Amino acid sequence: MEKRFVYMDHAATTYTKPEVIEAMMPYFTEQFGNASSIYTFGRRSKAAIEEAREKVAKALNALPDEIYFTGGGSEADNWAIKG
């Protein structure tokens, strides 16, 4: 009988679905400008983030300004506690 691996820590980290990798690939390879900058390369990144914020807000029936993207769980926890 083959042993089966069961991952039980998805709250800490998890795999990335192929369709997400595909959607993100341009931002990993071509459009990685600093969204806080004022130059064109950065403004494109900011526009992409704002578009993503609107999509997430729509999916959650929320307002875009209620959506915060963080770098990880600890940052998100701090936003929730201190924000």
Side-chain angles (χ1 to χ4, degrees):
M1 179 181 282
E2 182 180 328
K3 286 187 177 183
R4 190 170 162 224
F5 177 76
V6 177
Y7 185 70
M8 301 292 287
D9 199 15
H10 287 281
T13 188
T14 192
Y15 72 97
T16 304
K17 289 189 169 192
E19 57 267 33
V20 174
I21 293 171
E22 183 179 342
M24 288 300 300
M25 195 54 73
Y27 305 102
F28 294 143
T29 60
E30 301 164 10
Q31 299 175 16
F32 49 85
N34 178 351
S36 297
S37 65
I38 59 172
Y39 50 85
T40 302
F41 199 52
R43 287 196 310 263
R44 287 184 193 143
S45 294
K46 183 170 180 119
I49 291 169
E50 293 308 318
E51 181 180 343
R53 188 182 317 279
E54 289 175 16
K55 288 180 180 180
V56 170
K58 185 176 180 179
L60 297 175
N61 196 27
L63 297 173
D65 65 354
E66 296 175 313
I67 304 301
Y68 294 87
F69 296 122
T70 66
S74 296
E75 186 181 357
D77 289 346
N78 282 316
W79 267 98
I81 293 168
K82 298 177 182 178

